Amino acid sequence: MMFDVRLFLAIAAGQLAGIASRGLRRGGGTTLPGLVARRIDPHTLRKLAAQPPQGVALLSGTNGKTTTTRMIAATLAADGRTLLHNRAGANLVSGVTATALAGALPNGRLRAQIALFETDEAAFPDVAAETNPRLVVLHNLFRDQLDRYGEVDTVAAGWRAALERLPATTTVLLNADDPAVAALGEGLMAQVRYYGLNDTRHATGAAAQIGDARFCRRCGAPYHYTALFYAHVGHYRCEACGATRPMPAYALERLDLHGADHATLCLTFPGGAMEVHLPLPGLYNAINALAATAACLELGVAAACIRASLERFDAAFGRIERIDASGRPLLIALIKNPVGATETVRMLTDARKFHTSTPSEVTLSSHHDPRRVAPDTRHSPLNLHLLILINDRHADGTDVSWLWDAEFERLAGCVAHVTVSGTRAADMAVRLKYAGVEPERMTIEENPSHALDAALKRLPPGATLYVLPTYTAMLDLRAELVRRGWARPFWEH
């Protein structure tokens, strides 16, 4: 490779900006280096991304992209591959460029064999154009931050234009269960594969009112669903033109959820099958694991390595992150749009059902003691202790009307106490009141640090405090946890 003076200067300036940012405690240096480097050489990312011998993999989607990408990254590392990955979650073009800079030597050479980038929905077309990816995974598409992204169709159009420019050497992995995503695979030059959930026991029809792709992408007629998992995600067919859910090559044939702790997945793929015991709860984390499995198989990782990696996986910061707060357990679950919030609440309330025992579920003997069949007070329906932190800053989306589309009604009858904080704490409290959570079980505390103290003070021995923050609220909370010595800075993860 010929010496490139401009790239050399861009790398040097960007890396120095990152060192200064961390040294002055202005952040983790996950974005600023990219901004600085691109001012010097706008082609910095294009030049660096062309180097990894095993190419570039990109993943985008509204929900689950950080967790899914980290699953892929952990598996590739376990497979012995030297990896370039925006692990801290900076997923705009500047953040992806900063990640590439962090892995570059002063002469402009990258040390990584393969690059893996999570990309923001709106940034995906630009990142794809600059990185010429070997593999693209598009996970899902939901309404999110209307003030920044616009409608779902706007994002889908950008994705479609980017996919149409990809060559036949690129493989595109799409979620068969999301019609907005699955339809993007038609007529591409790139190779297209699908993954999906075949276990229809999880079809509840919940949250159908917040579906954003309920009409056929070909003819505009409404889809007919034989199974609806959440929002517009499920098994569908257009009776007017015959468009239907594609047959997934990578399928989750059976999924058993075990409360708020873990799940068992039975996966099939071309040439094989395997069972995975995933140490993460919830339907959406199982789908994340399915997407990660499909991506890793496409990248040539052995199934045994994938299974072993997933079974020891730890979630990304703020996404089902467990924190020990001086002996009091916290579980942080990011919420940022209607679907994500609904599925998080669904996970928590379904976990209550999983742990709750009632007389009808217990076989009684003729000499039974009524105290033995009464529900454990720790697992009674009214046992959730919550801290909900809602902000409306730019990175959260300034329009918080999405709170009324999320199914917080599931919390009614399940909350022991909820502390509400953030810049829109009052809005959240009103939403909970209309959802059926009794006002006497709520506390509004505008100061997030004080809110954390108040919630922990009410937490009974042995209970977990479930923390549901929006994105900037999560960052603020983690900064406070770091200050108290209960967590590490996110860029050290």
Side-chain angles (χ1 to χ4, degrees), residues 293-305:
T293 298
C296 290
L297 288 169
E298 288 289 338
L299 293 172
V301 183
C305 180

Side-chain angles (χ1 to χ4, degrees), residues 13-34 88 98-99 101-103 489-492:
Q15 291 180 344
L16 285 173
I19 293 171
S21 177
R22 290 185 291 271
L24 296 173
R25 298 188 177 276
R26 296 298 180 91
T30 58
T31 298
L32 180 62
T99 300
L101 290 171
F490 68 87
W491 58 83
E492 293 183 6

